Amino acid sequence: MFDGLHKAFSNAAKSLGEKELNEKDIKDILFELEISLLESDVAGEVIDSIKSDLKEKLIGSKVDKNEIEKFVKDNLIFSISSLFDNVGSIDIFERIDEKKKKNQPFLIVFVGINGTGKTTSLAKFASLLQEKKYSVVVAAADTFRAGAIEQLREHTNRLNLKLVAQNYESDPAAVARDAVLYAKSHKTDCVLIDTAGRMQTSKNLMEQIEKIIKVVNPDMTIFVGDSLAGNDTVNQAREFHKYVKFDGSILTKSDADAKGGAALSIAKVTSTPVLYLGTGQEYSDLKSFDKDIFLETVFGSLGDVKIEKIDVSTPEPEPTSEPEPTPKPISDDPFYGIKDNEIAKYSDLFDIPPPESDAKAIKLGNKIRQWIKDGKPKPGESKVISFNDEAEIHKQDKEEESKKKRGLFGRFKK
Ligand code: GDP
């Protein structure tokens, strides 16, 4: 994810660095930025806001020609960073604990259109709650789509959770209310309510969601959007937010080739935080959205410019005697978090050709991270593992392929 945005910002900063800073240059650069952002699926009004913010800061500024790139980068980061700060964040578990103290269940309604990954995200979140030792009941309040109840039942069976369901065509608000009554009588901590995925343009169906919300009065409503759907997701979020003031969103499929614009746009358009990113098809593939990781991914390899205005770097971990696991990339980019010049230096030092497959790229990325962690030793100073470990790469490729062939439930851990 975020690859498109990365390019958008990188292009904008680099082209300015080669020019004198004057009003005409800024006009051209802003136009370039606008096109790149549009291609990265950032919504129009968000682009306008970024543009006007930048314009204000750049025009009339006296910037050393050599400092222009850093200046543009700092200001871009500042705009995006403030945008995320302004929408705030939510500590769901703290809020669940507050309700728990009052002996009341915490109710969450999941909304979004069909196919975005709403049911899967609900199941992932249920699994996360279980991990944190909260008890959960699930309400099958999608009584509209054929197969919806069975799909949810598969998940609840696997997770060993109580499912409250009625027949298709029954009143979804009544199902949700039943689940709340169950939670109250069984002292269950959380109720997760699945709703029918409906097109945001279907007024009738949107009114049904409004009814569910009125009847159960949830503590939280979460919008689930597909980060691959780009501007469509932004339009869905805007429309849903009109009917149901949701509190935050989950963006699914960020493990696939999403461009990053959706996270930025949804936060801006709805003034609500992105809570989680869906990063795959396992129950554990739900990661908290992290603004700093987003910024690092988007701006990470714009060069060696040190950011003084806003510190977006991840804090140095405390030294421990245990070797640390390699952090799992949040994006598809195998070189996530590694600067371009570090990749180039490593390739030069160890004479590494460009990787020929995804599996090789992932392996190479991990090695470069390890090399950086080891203090960037030169050849001969430490053990450098052979890059061409074909057998292992082949095995990874095979595993990936067979994962794709198995169905949804086959892919989940048993
Ligand atoms: P719903 O109709 O909105 O409830 O969507 P589903 O939960 O049935 O998901 C639709 C498809 O998207 C399924 O094949 C899911 O396995 C898949 N999916 C959901 N979340 C993710 C994700 O984060 N990453 C990937 N790669 N696939 C996902």
Side-chain angles (χ1 to χ4, degrees):
M1 196 183 178
F2 309 145
D3 208 35
L5 264 191
H6 191 126
K7 274 191 208 126
F9 290 126
S10 178
N11 287 342
K14 279 195 176 125
S15 46
L16 242 189
E18 289 153 11
K19 295 176 182 177
E20 286 289 333
L21 192 62
N22 61 40
E23 194 150 350
K24 186 177 167 296
D25 287 338
I26 288 169
K27 198 174 150 219
D28 293 346
I29 286 301
L30 290 182
F31 180 70
E32 246 177 67
L33 180 64
E34 179 168 3
I35 301 295
S36 306
L37 290 174
L38 275 172
E39 284 169 357
S40 298
D41 289 340
V42 179
E45 65 197 79
V46 180
I47 298 175
D48 287 346
S49 156
I50 291 173
K51 264 173 58 185
S52 71
D53 205 31
L54 260 183
K55 211 169 168 174
E56 206 177 294
K57 281 169 187 158
L58 297 180
I59 291 183
S61 303
K62 290 202 172 79
V63 187
D64 186 304
K65 206 180 167 199
N66 299 325
E67 289 286 300
I68 294 172
E69 188 170 321
K70 175 179 168 359
F71 189 70
V72 176
K73 185 182 172 186
D74 282 359
N75 282 295
L76 272 168
I77 294 176
F78 186 74
S79 298
I80 310 288
S81 179
S82 325
L83 198 151
F84 284 117
D85 287 344
N86 290 342
V87 300
S89 59
I90 300 172
D91 187 336
I92 304 182
F93 305 107
E94 194 180 280
R95 291 183 55 187
I96 296 174
D97 290 340
E98 277 167 24
K99 288 287 297 258
K100 214 175 151 170
K101 274 187 214 143
K102 295 180 200 157
N103 279 324
Q104 286 171 8
F106 191 83
L107 320 177
I108 309 180
V109 172
F110 288 75
V111 300
I113 72 157
N114 278 340
T116 53
K118 183 167 40 61
T119 311
T120 309
S121 300
L122 183 151
K124 287 177 182 176
F125 191 67
S127 167
L128 180 64
L129 287 169
Q130 280 184 312
E131 232 174 70
K132 292 184 179 282
K133 310 286 177 233
Y134 293 106
S135 51
V136 179
V137 56
V138 175
D142 179 356
T143 57
F144 181 74
R145 178 172 65 93
I149 299 173
E150 289 74 18
Q151 188 188 352
L152 207 51
R153 184 165 286 123
E154 283 261 18
H155 284 300
T156 51
N157 283 347
R158 276 168 191 273
L159 293 168
N160 202 16
L161 289 173
K162 167 77 182 168
L163 177 75
V164 173
Q166 290 180 15
N167 296 327
Y168 286 104
E169 305 292 325
S170 57
D171 180 4
V175 179
R177 195 183 43 222
D178 280 358
V180 176
L181 290 176
Y182 175 92
K184 284 185 176 161
S185 61
H186 290 77
K187 303 219 171 310
T188 311
D189 301 326
C190 299
V191 183
L192 305 185
I193 301 161
D194 189 26
T195 60
R198 45 223 14 178
M199 282 310 292
Q200 71 273 23
T201 44
S202 166
K203 193 162 183 290
N204 236 359
L205 296 170
M206 292 298 271
E207 280 166 0
Q208 265 192 33
I209 295 193
E210 273 184 306
K211 185 180 166 195
I212 299 176
I213 304 270
K214 263 193 198 131
V215 169
V216 300
N217 188 22
D219 298 283
M220 234 185 132
T221 303
I222 296 179
F223 167 78
V224 180
D226 179 337
S227 49
L228 290 173
N231 270 323
D232 264 1
T233 302
V234 176
N235 291 334
Q236 286 160 20
R238 194 198 314 266
E239 200 61 28
F240 266 92
H241 205 54
K242 252 198 239 164
Y243 287 86
V244 185
K245 290 272 166 268
F246 57 79
D247 302 277
S249 49
I250 295 178
L251 286 179
T252 62
K253 306 173 195 177
S254 64
D255 50 310
D257 187 29
K259 291 175 190 154
L264 191 60
S265 306
I266 287 183
K268 170 76 178 168
V269 165
T270 66
S271 294
T272 62
V274 176
L275 304 168
Y276 289 97
L277 296 177
T279 57
Q281 308 210 39
E282 305 271 339
Y283 286 124
S284 57
D285 290 331
L286 188 69
K287 307 288 175 228
S288 291
F289 177 78
D290 184 326
K291 177 193 81 172
D292 290 347
I293 291 178
F294 176 90
L295 292 175
E296 274 182 28
T297 311
V298 170
F299 295 99
S301 64
L302 280 176
D304 265 342
V305 188
K306 195 170 175 293
I307 301 146
E308 282 150 14
K309 223 175 196 169
I310 326 122
D311 182 11
V312 295
S313 61
T314 316
E316 279 291 311
E318 292 290 317
T320 57
S321 50
E322 291 288 308
E324 291 209 15
T326 309
K328 193 182 172 207
I330 201 154
S331 74
D332 266 356
D333 181 1
F335 302 107
Y336 157 80
I338 309 171
K339 291 184 178 142
D340 284 354
N341 63 342
E342 287 169 328
I343 299 171
K345 191 169 174 199
Y346 183 90
S347 309
D348 276 356
L349 274 178
F350 299 102
D351 199 18
I352 304 291
E356 292 147 13
S357 68
D358 285 356
K360 284 183 180 176
I362 291 165
K363 232 170 133 43
L364 178 59
N366 287 340
K367 275 189 198 156
I368 299 177
R369 274 185 212 95
Q370 189 58 49
W371 171 72
I372 295 168
K373 225 183 266 173
D374 293 346
K376 303 184 187 174
K378 296 203 170 70
E381 287 179 5
S382 75
K383 182 176 173 262
V384 178
I385 312 149
S386 155
F387 174 55
N388 288 317
D389 190 351
E390 290 296 345
E392 198 183 329
I393 293 164
H394 186 65
K395 194 171 144 229
Q396 278 182 19
D397 280 339
K398 279 277 164 214
E399 272 171 13
E400 199 51 43
E401 203 179 303
S402 70
K403 253 191 196 174
K404 279 181 189 153
K405 280 183 186 155
R406 276 178 265 144
L408 166 67
F409 295 110
R411 280 185 282 233
F412 280 99
K413 276 179 192 152
K414 298 223 166 124

